[in-house]
Amino acid sequence: MHPAYWASGNFCGYYVQIDILRRNNVKVSGRGQQPLVFAHGFGCDQNMWRFIVPAFEDRYKIVLFDYVGSGKSDLAAYDPKRYGSLEGYAADVVEIVDALDLHDVVFVGHSVSSMIGILAAQQRPDRFAKLILVGPSPCYLNDGDYKGGFERADLEGLLQMMEKNYIGWASFLAPVVMKNLEEPKLAAELEESFCSTDPIIAKRFAEATFLSDYRFVVPQVQFPCLVMQCSDDTIAPEAVGEYIHRNLPESEYRLMKATGHCPHMSHPEETIAIIDQYLSG
Amino acid sequence: MLGYAEHDLEGLPFEQLLAVPSRIFYQTHVFPLLKMQHRIEEVYLTASTKFGEVVPVLVNGTRMETPEGVVNECLLVPIRRRNDFEDQILAAKRQAEEAHEAKDQLNQALHEAQRELTRQNEELKVLKGSLESQVLAQTAALRKMVQDLQGFNYSIAHDLRTPLRAILSTSAILLAEAGEALTPAHRRLLERQQHNATKLANLVQDLLDFSRLGLQEVVFARVDMSGLAHEAARSVLAEHSGTKARVIVEEGLEASGDRSMLYVVLQNLFDNAIKYSPEGGTVTFGADGDGFYVKDEGIGLAPEFAEQIFRPFERLHRDEDYAGTGIGLANVKRIVERHGGRVWVESEVGKGATFRFTLA
């Protein structure tokens, strides 16, 4: 077991020492030396990596975590100001890397975590070795010649839908809850739901993600990167993957057979193969 | 329900049926849920019809992993009406919240305005109080000062009298007993000294009266003004033994006031009138709608001097022409004003003068 690592910070108005590993529900496993840090995207938590992790456990040190506000992180540590932009989430990554004293890190980030990983690595260049970006996008909004894929209205529609599914829904969910109560096991399972998130936090994470524009950071990245681009990805279209590949100083580009936005869930074998090939190459 | 023919839908990924915002939500939330928990329940999404219309749907789904492959069975229930109701409820909720907030804000503004008003009122009260006490304090200080001055005047006048009497009596004795022994020039000097000492004594007496009038309390009573006028006229005529003027007094006049003070008023007004009357002139005391008056047929005065003559020591004539100390009319004014009345003169040069006064 690893010792408790502490950092100082101002949360909820109190200046306290925080157990980073508990705060971010950090799980370390694997028998290798080089750390492989897997970072989940918006809407999920570390469980989404469960189809990928076993393939690397014998050769790498696997680090899994939940961002504050997601999964089984400490919700009390949520600070709306800190997590109002991706830099706050990048600070989570930096603090975890510091707390575990990780070196030569390979960071695997899905979706928004690609940009979070880039921001974290720029802060601790001595700790990171490579970045693997799964479905990355530096900017989701269309902007002139740049086609991020979405108009502002689409993203406002998403926020509205989230409100309905999370908040406005609550009062209409009564029948569902009752149904679940008849099946206590299922109710318990739902409670444990890996996607369960506080609605207000989720909305703020969505805003920080989809309304951001980090295109300016891309050309400054000092690490070798792998861009894993899905086919028919609504959230990160191919044009965006190509854009980021073109603008990264040092990158490899793989267009996957996998469709959708979550190849590590829908097509774990292909995902594992590409990562494996990149790491051993 | 979405306007697609069956063959349109074949092979189409479920995601393609969704409106753009729902595709994001599907990828970030719905698909991971299906994959991890193999089922989703009552997820709100928006679908897009073949003709581009957006339809709100509730999605229930299960994921089945069969040997042939993975099948996600999703059931879409359009909830147009339910959605409308929800929108209405959400809108109503927002409206209620806004109304509540507006009410709170209004109440708060009202509260603040009231508080401000109360505060200003209190400030005003304090200011008024301090102003009143300031006025009171200053009035008291002024009154004290006036009293001190009057007291000072009185004691000076009083103290001047004794040495003056000594001067008067010694010059009288000298003139009576040693007059023959003096040269005519020395005798004239002594006579001049006696004359001036007499003048000074009169002045001091008038000053003393003037000061006393300021200090003396006004004792109000019914006064027979006609009787008082006869008395005063007799005394004044006796002093002006050489005069041919006569005084006519209207009978049956009464007033409320201080008898001894009103005597001084009449005495001074008669003295003034007789002094300036021509030979055989008539002085009349009476009353009309404007109050009491003393009218003479004397030399009169120009209207521009009408105010000046009531001020102490302000004289229009040289002592050689008309004797006087310049205090008489000032005394009249002071007494009348202490009665709450007013004194003024109506006159033109050469056409006599009418002195009028009222008593409150």
Side-chain angles (χ1 to χ4, degrees):
Chain A
M1 288 306 287
H2 28 268
Y5 292 91
W6 300 85
S8 300
N10 189 2
F11 288 96
C12 304
Y14 296 99
Y15 191 78
V16 290
Q17 289 218 303
I18 295 135
D19 183 344
I20 300 294
L21 304 184
R22 198 172 61 81
R23 182 191 71 184
N24 285 94
N25 189 27
V26 178
K27 304 275 188 242
V28 181
S29 62
R31 293 173 290 281
Q33 284 302 310
Q34 189 174 29
L36 211 46
V37 176
F38 289 95
H40 68 82
F42 164 69
C44 290
D45 66 17
Q46 58 181 274
N47 281 305
M48 74 192 319
W49 296 107
R50 71 159 77 141
F51 308 104
I52 305 296
V53 165
F56 297 96
E57 269 179 328
D58 54 339
R59 288 168 291 152
Y60 293 91
K61 178 191 260 189
I62 307 294
V63 178
L64 291 167
F65 70 96
D66 297 333
Y67 287 113
V68 170
S70 302
K72 292 201 183 69
S73 66
D74 181 7
L75 288 187
Y78 186 79
D79 175 359
K81 211 172 146 200
R82 172 176 163 124
Y83 297 105
S85 71
L86 298 188
E87 277 84 354
Y89 291 96
D92 274 13
V93 175
V94 167
E95 284 165 10
I96 291 164
V97 166
D98 284 349
L100 292 176
D101 195 26
L102 302 177
H103 293 267
D104 205 21
V105 171
V106 176
F107 181 92
V108 184
H110 172 234
S111 193
V112 65
S113 268
S114 303
M115 290 319 295
I116 295 172
I118 284 173
L119 294 172
Q122 296 293 91
Q123 275 188 51
R124 285 284 187 283
D126 52 320
R127 301 300 187 95
F128 289 81
K130 287 175 177 170
L131 303 177
I132 294 172
L133 315 175
V134 184
S137 172
C139 178
Y140 295 90
L141 288 170
N142 296 328
D143 177 27
D145 288 340
Y146 176 82
K147 300 292 174 211
F150 299 98
E151 294 300 331
R152 185 165 276 270
D154 297 329
L155 301 174
E156 272 155 12
L158 169 71
L159 296 177
Q160 223 175 339
M161 180 168 315
M162 286 173 59
E163 188 183 22
K164 280 213 167 168
N165 272 309
Y166 281 125
I167 308 170
W169 221 217
S171 52
F172 310 110
L173 268 177
V176 182
V177 172
M178 271 166 61
K179 208 163 28 177
N180 288 342
L181 283 178
E182 287 160 16
E183 297 173 70
K185 198 172 142 236
L186 181 60
E189 211 174 277
L190 274 179
E191 230 169 74
E192 297 278 289
S193 167
F194 83 111
C195 277
S196 68
T197 323
D198 180 281
I200 292 160
I201 293 174
K203 186 165 182 245
R204 203 160 168 78
F205 195 3
E207 283 168 344
T209 301
F210 292 110
L211 301 178
S212 68
D213 183 356
Y214 286 97
R215 280 177 289 172
F216 70 97
V217 179
V218 178
Q220 302 167 12
V221 177
Q222 315 156 30
F223 305 91
C225 297
L226 170 65
V227 176
M228 294 173 67
Q229 175 66 47
C230 295
S231 305
D232 295 327
D233 187 343
T234 314
I235 295 183
E238 280 174 40
V240 172
E242 282 162 12
Y243 171 91
I244 202 165
H245 168 61
R246 222 175 25 250
N247 286 279
L248 280 168
E250 191 185 342
S251 88
E252 278 185 39
Y253 179 79
R254 293 277 186 285
L255 180 60
M256 301 176 72
K257 289 193 193 74
T259 53
H261 187 60
C262 306
H264 52 312
M265 299 179 86
S266 63
H267 300 76
E269 300 82 7
E270 188 189 9
T271 306
I272 291 166
I274 291 173
I275 293 175
D276 216 7
Q277 194 192 345
Y278 179 69
L279 290 179
S280 47
Chain B
M1 89 189 168
L2 297 175
Y4 293 99
E6 215 168 293
H7 62 268
D8 287 341
L9 288 172
E10 263 178 29
L12 202 65
F14 170 67
E15 192 190 342
Q16 292 295 311
L17 297 176
L18 300 176
V20 175
S22 288
R23 289 186 196 173
I24 305 176
F25 195 72
Y26 176 82
Q27 287 294 343
T28 55
H29 290 75
V30 181
F31 172 72
L33 262 175
L34 266 173
K35 171 79 180 170
M36 305 299 285
Q37 288 174 187
H38 305 284
R39 62 189 289 172
I40 50 164
E41 297 208 13
E42 306 254 322
V43 175
Y44 168 82
L45 290 172
T46 44
S48 199
T49 66
K50 192 179 180 183
F51 316 105
E53 192 203 347
V54 173
V55 180
V57 291
L58 268 190
V59 182
N60 285 289
T62 51
R63 180 184 172 91
M64 286 172 294
E65 286 172 16
T66 63
E68 291 85 44
V70 176
V71 179
N72 288 330
E73 252 186 27
C74 289
L75 182 69
L76 274 67
V77 183
I79 50 162
R80 279 198 184 87
R81 291 194 61 196
R82 177 166 163 175
N83 191 54
D84 288 347
F85 291 146
E86 280 164 21
D87 280 345
Q88 279 172 23
I89 290 170
L90 277 177
K93 188 177 149 227
R94 261 185 216 123
Q95 235 172 19
E97 278 166 2
E98 275 163 23
H100 193 72
E101 209 170 296
K103 195 183 131 212
D104 277 357
Q105 276 173 355
L106 257 174
N107 269 339
Q108 209 179 334
L110 204 68
H111 230 76
E112 263 162 34
Q114 273 171 346
R115 262 209 305 274
E116 179 64 16
L117 209 66
T118 315
R119 196 183 60 73
Q120 284 182 352
N121 261 335
E122 249 144 49
E123 238 171 52
L124 214 64
K125 228 185 265 172
V126 172
L127 266 175
K128 207 178 140 203
S130 84
L131 206 66
E132 273 171 1
S133 62
Q134 268 181 38
V135 167
L136 278 177
Q138 281 178 359
T139 309
L142 273 174
R143 192 168 288 149
K144 174 87 173 35
M145 207 159 78
V146 169
Q147 275 171 358
D148 285 352
L149 274 174
Q150 283 172 342
F152 178 70
N153 283 345
Y154 181 79
S155 40
I156 285 190
H158 191 267
D159 292 352
L160 283 174
R161 259 195 333 191
T162 319
L164 258 177
R165 280 209 195 98
I167 293 166
L168 271 172
S169 52
T170 48
S171 21
I173 292 166
L174 270 177
L175 273 173
E177 295 184 3
E180 301 303 320
L182 295 171
T183 64
H186 285 156
R187 196 182 156 82
R188 268 201 307 280
L189 277 176
L190 199 60
E191 276 167 356
R192 195 180 293 169
Q193 175 186 293
Q194 197 184 22
H195 173 75
N196 279 315
T198 309
K199 243 178 81 176
L200 190 57
N202 288 338
L203 185 60
V204 167
Q205 184 58 47
D206 280 356
L207 263 178
L208 205 56
D209 289 345
F210 185 73
S211 300
R212 199 185 284 138
L213 282 173
L215 298 171
Q216 201 179 319
E217 190 134 346
V218 183
V219 182
F220 281 88
R222 290 238 50 91
V223 178
D224 170 11
M225 288 296 276
S226 300
L228 199 64
H230 280 299
E231 215 176 294
R234 262 199 305 277
S235 145
V236 173
L237 285 169
E239 277 173 34
H240 297 267
S241 44
T243 186
K244 295 261 170 48
R246 48 191 197 108
V247 177
I248 299 172
V249 174
E250 186 181 330
E251 297 302 328
L253 300 179
E254 285 195 337
S256 167
D258 188 305
R259 192 177 190 281
S260 62
M261 286 189 185
L262 291 177
Y263 180 80
V264 174
V265 168
L266 293 172
Q267 193 186 31
N268 275 300
L269 288 179
F270 284 143
D271 182 67
N272 204 54
I274 289 166
K275 195 158 56 185
Y276 296 109
S277 282
E279 274 215 22
T282 305
V283 174
T284 317
F285 169 71
D288 57 18
D290 287 337
F292 299 100
Y293 62 86
V294 173
K295 189 176 164 124
D296 65 54
E297 296 166 341
I299 56 170
L301 65 142
E304 60 261 38
F305 299 119
E307 298 273 328
Q308 194 184 321
I309 55 170
F310 291 103
R311 289 203 283 268
F313 310 114
E314 298 264 0
R315 298 207 59 207
L316 301 182
H317 309 282
R318 289 186 310 165
D319 201 35
E320 288 80 354
D321 298 334
Y322 295 96
T325 57
I327 287 288
L329 286 176
N331 271 339
V332 167
K333 183 173 158 74
R334 184 171 260 200
I335 291 167
V336 167
E337 282 176 355
R338 290 206 63 195
H339 277 77
R342 191 167 91 76
V343 63
W344 71 102
V345 65
E346 292 166 357
S347 178
E348 273 178 57
V349 177
K351 292 189 175 171
T354 305
F355 283 83
R356 294 182 171 279
F357 65 95
T358 59
L359 301 169

